[in-house]
Amino acid sequence: MENAISLSVTEPAGLKPAALKGYDRVYLGSEFCQNKLPTAAAFLKLEKLFGGPVTLVTPLLTDGGLDQAAALVKALCAVKRRRPLEVVVNDWGLLRLLKRNKAARPVLGRLLMWEIGEMDKPFLNAFLREYRAAGVETDDPEVLAKLKGVSGPVHFHYPFRFKSVTRFCSYIRDFNSARCRLECGPAFVRLSSRAIPEPIYMQGNAYFIPNKPLRHPLVKRLVKTSVKE
Amino acid sequence: MKFTVGVKSAEEARYFLDNGADELYCGLAGLLNNRLPRENLPGAEAAAEIVRLAGRRRVFLAVNEIVPAALYGRALDTLRWLGRRGLFGVILRDPAFLSFLRRERFRSYVTLSTLALCFNRRALEFFAELGVDRLVLPMQMTPENAAYALKNRLGIETEVFCQRLYYGVNVDSMCFLPCPQTAEDGARKFPDFTCLLPFRSAGGGYRMPMPGPEYMMNAFYDFYHGGADYVKVARWPNTLRQADLFLKVRYLVKLLDKGISRRLFVHEGLKLDSKPLEYGKSFAYRPAPAAGLRA
């Protein structure tokens, strides 16, 4: 089982190598907000600090975000690596862009898996081959159960399960195609209400509930989100 | 800009056709789509009746969820049966099902549901290759974000919501918070829309954010002038509420057709009693009989 840690874009600054000890891989970026893509310099610096594989994480993208993500992938692919750059993709458009980029391999992210998980498995496996997907991701046992028969490895996220996302950011009171100064930070904010039995947690423009790592024959990688209170 | 209206009965179809709907869409019980089961027609015959009522106006069938492979055969048979009776198109979201229909040489006009995650030009190309003829722009796409889609050279038409009167707090297809529309615990639906609840946090009270009414009016103005081809009035459990939305959208489009200035349009729109945040309260299932609609 591979163990990965997922860092928010603001976390690598001041990060000590000891904080990454015990992990086989580091994720950097955001699955939910296009304003939280790292710079190429920050990504390369983290690769150097960690000394192991680093995965670029990308969200749903508007045209502006897609241009930014494409430029970032291009800059990162200009650097020689032993293996192709791994990119977690949550957008059909970016997936299409990566199709012919041999220096990068997509992993289908948690958002796309809600679209894909239930698909006819022969179609899904052919689709994964066509797009050279290195794996698929989820955080939900329900989606995992539907993935029986999938040909690639499954990566499982914890300690939070994604529940919802908005493009209208509560921090900047604007759509996340507008620029921001990452006012949200990496913190998970606990939200409670009498009307729901358990609290939910907000990080940036996405909402979550607690989740536990899941051992399952299909799961080949556990991805732990770094959590700041 | 033409009106595309969702219906859940022949009575509703008659009402909206009589009042200016350019096209209708509906869903069938047992064929997955993104509405409450009660908002669907009981069977294909009921959809055929709506096609007949619509005459030369177009009717679409919504199958806008991810379709399990086990349903493919039945779905294709139903679409072919309705196609022979004049169904114009189908509203889809699932790339695998789209591919299946192409492989089976099923020919129909295809609208890509607002639920598909199509937020940029490459995503539009991805779906264009699967045979999509129209895109319903996601509600959380601004007119600036949608500039490419509105002017695309792929021959894909565009459809929008009037956001002032119909808005989703979170990205529609990527919201798995409990609500009356989706969360089921046996036969029981969750009573509240989680996205509308007041929350407590360490920093004080919190509500899930949505843009203000001025943005929404400006957005509709921009979508109209940007070349959006259709405005959608979605199916609604409460028929009178949907009729009210439809009449207000029709009024706004009439103002735009007359060439109203942006400033006046926003001013007029803000006077409308829209209260999108009340959609939770209006979600009770209240189909209105024809007489009620006429009244």
Side-chain angles (χ1 to χ4, degrees):
Chain A
M1 177 73 75
E2 190 182 11
N3 280 294
I5 183 154
S6 181
L7 302 179
S8 150
V9 68
T10 54
E11 287 181 277
L15 191 75
K16 299 280 189 287
L20 305 176
K21 204 174 168 188
Y23 293 105
D24 307 299
R25 179 179 287 272
V26 179
Y27 281 35
L28 183 63
S30 170
E31 296 164 88
F32 308 106
C33 181
Q34 65 182 26
N35 276 336
K36 294 199 261 183
L37 288 173
T39 62
F43 188 94
L44 296 171
K45 193 176 168 187
L46 181 64
E47 267 190 327
K48 198 173 172 186
L49 175 88
F50 179 53
V54 178
T55 296
L56 174 66
V57 185
T58 64
L60 194 60
L61 299 159
T62 61
D63 271 336
L66 184 70
D67 290 342
Q68 201 187 335
L72 176 60
V73 169
K74 190 177 175 189
L76 296 179
C77 287
V79 176
K80 277 196 174 174
R81 287 180 184 79
R82 275 184 294 175
R83 289 181 177 180
L85 173 75
E86 189 177 278
V87 184
V88 172
V89 177
N90 283 293
D91 183 276
W92 296 117
L94 183 61
L95 186 66
R96 183 179 153 80
L97 267 185
L98 292 181
K99 194 174 178 181
R100 287 184 184 83
N101 183 344
K102 296 284 190 289
R105 280 196 81 180
V107 167
L108 303 189
R110 282 190 272 184
L111 297 191
L112 281 192
M113 283 319 293
W114 278 104
E115 298 294 288
I116 284 172
E118 210 160 350
M119 280 179 182
D120 178 32
K121 290 303 165 291
F123 175 87
L124 174 57
N125 289 333
F127 184 84
L128 294 175
R129 275 196 304 278
E130 185 183 345
Y131 284 88
R132 298 175 303 102
V136 299
E137 308 218 320
T138 186
D139 55 12
D140 195 308
E142 196 184 312
V143 175
L144 191 63
K146 288 173 184 167
L147 285 173
K148 191 180 173 191
V150 72
S151 60
V154 178
H155 310 155
F156 194 86
H157 284 255
Y158 74 103
F160 285 107
R161 182 183 306 163
F162 161 76
K163 292 305 280 185
S164 191
V165 64
T166 174
R167 286 201 55 243
F168 193 77
C169 174
S170 62
Y171 291 86
I172 61 170
R173 293 274 153 186
D174 202 345
F175 287 93
N176 67 355
S177 38
R179 290 275 168 204
C180 75
R181 285 177 286 181
L182 302 176
E183 287 88 344
C184 55
F188 281 76
V189 179
R190 187 179 191 271
L191 302 173
S192 57
S193 165
R194 283 192 196 125
I196 53 173
E198 302 291 338
I200 59 174
Y201 292 81
M202 174 178 70
Q203 205 294 306
N205 61 329
Y207 302 95
F208 304 84
I209 58 171
N211 198 20
K212 288 182 177 162
L214 191 69
R215 307 275 170 187
H216 185 282
L218 286 176
V219 176
K220 305 297 182 201
R221 182 189 294 172
L222 289 173
V223 185
K224 180 182 181 182
T225 301
S226 168
V227 178
K228 297 276 185 286
E229 292 295 335
Chain B
M1 191 180 256
K2 293 178 176 173
F3 299 97
T4 304
V5 184
V7 294
K8 56 185 183 292
S9 66
E11 288 76 18
E12 285 186 3
R14 277 191 204 97
Y15 172 80
F16 289 115
L17 288 166
D18 287 349
N19 284 279
D22 294 289
E23 36 177 60
L24 301 176
Y25 74 92
C26 53
L28 293 184
L31 262 191
L32 298 169
N33 63 82
N34 181 49
R35 300 305 293 199
L36 295 166
R38 287 182 298 188
E39 290 178 78
N40 287 315
L41 302 169
E45 291 78 9
E49 167 68 2
I50 286 174
V51 170
R52 194 188 61 75
L53 286 172
R56 299 181 71 168
R57 283 183 267 187
R58 298 167 168 186
V59 178
F60 296 76
L61 188 72
V63 193
N64 57 345
E65 283 292 6
I66 304 300
V67 183
L71 274 183
Y72 281 11
R74 185 152 64 86
L76 180 61
D77 288 347
T78 305
L79 290 174
R80 282 192 166 138
W81 188 85
L82 283 170
R84 286 194 293 273
R85 279 150 187 84
L87 183 79
F88 182 78
V90 56
I91 304 168
L92 299 172
R93 155 190 182 181
D94 181 351
F97 188 57
L98 276 161
S99 297
F100 167 77
L101 293 179
R102 277 174 82 85
R103 278 200 310 276
E104 294 293 321
R105 299 182 190 283
F106 173 75
R107 298 207 188 283
S108 181
Y109 183 101
V110 175
T111 295
L112 184 65
S113 168
T114 184
L115 301 173
L117 296 175
C118 188
F119 279 85
N120 58 59
R121 62 190 183 277
R122 299 293 178 203
L124 191 61
E125 289 169 6
F126 173 87
F127 284 106
E129 285 178 0
L130 294 170
V132 162
D133 300 290
R134 184 190 304 182
L135 167 67
V136 188
L137 293 170
M139 272 178 268
Q140 295 213 342
M141 202 166 180
T142 67
E144 293 79 16
N145 298 155
Y148 173 81
L150 291 168
K151 298 284 178 205
N152 77 81
R153 292 180 184 175
L154 302 167
I156 294 177
E157 298 186 291
T158 50
E159 183 175 318
V160 296
F161 292 92
C162 179
Q163 297 180 353
R164 166 87 168 120
L165 300 162
Y166 192 94
Y167 187 81
V169 176
N170 295 317
V171 175
D172 212 351
S173 60
M174 288 293 124
C175 186
F176 306 100
L177 294 167
C179 77
Q181 194 177 346
T182 55
E184 290 185 56
D185 175 14
R188 192 172 64 85
K189 295 280 181 188
F190 191 74
D192 297 301
F193 282 83
T194 304
C195 59
L196 303 180
L197 292 174
F199 286 98
R200 295 185 306 276
S201 75
Y206 175 81
R207 280 184 184 272
M208 294 187 185
M210 58 193 290
E214 274 198 41
Y215 159 80
M216 291 172 174
M217 285 307 300
N218 276 294
F220 194 52
Y221 183 91
D222 288 333
F223 280 128
Y224 178 91
H225 287 286
D229 302 289
Y230 302 87
V231 58
K232 172 174 172 169
V233 176
R235 278 177 290 171
W236 206 254
N238 182 330
T239 303
L240 290 179
R241 163 79 178 181
Q242 187 189 348
D244 178 56
L245 290 180
F246 171 75
L247 295 175
K248 286 170 179 168
V249 174
R250 198 181 67 172
Y251 167 69
L252 291 175
V253 172
K254 197 173 273 183
L255 292 179
L256 291 166
D257 286 342
K258 284 182 178 169
I260 191 171
S261 72
R262 176 190 293 272
R263 193 177 61 80
L264 264 178
F265 179 69
V266 172
H267 178 77
E268 283 300 305
L270 291 178
K271 288 197 289 194
L272 287 180
D273 174 21
S274 72
K275 297 178 187 168
L277 276 173
E278 286 193 359
Y279 69 75
K281 291 177 187 170
S282 75
F283 225 78
Y285 180 67
R286 290 199 189 105
L293 274 172
R294 279 196 295 274

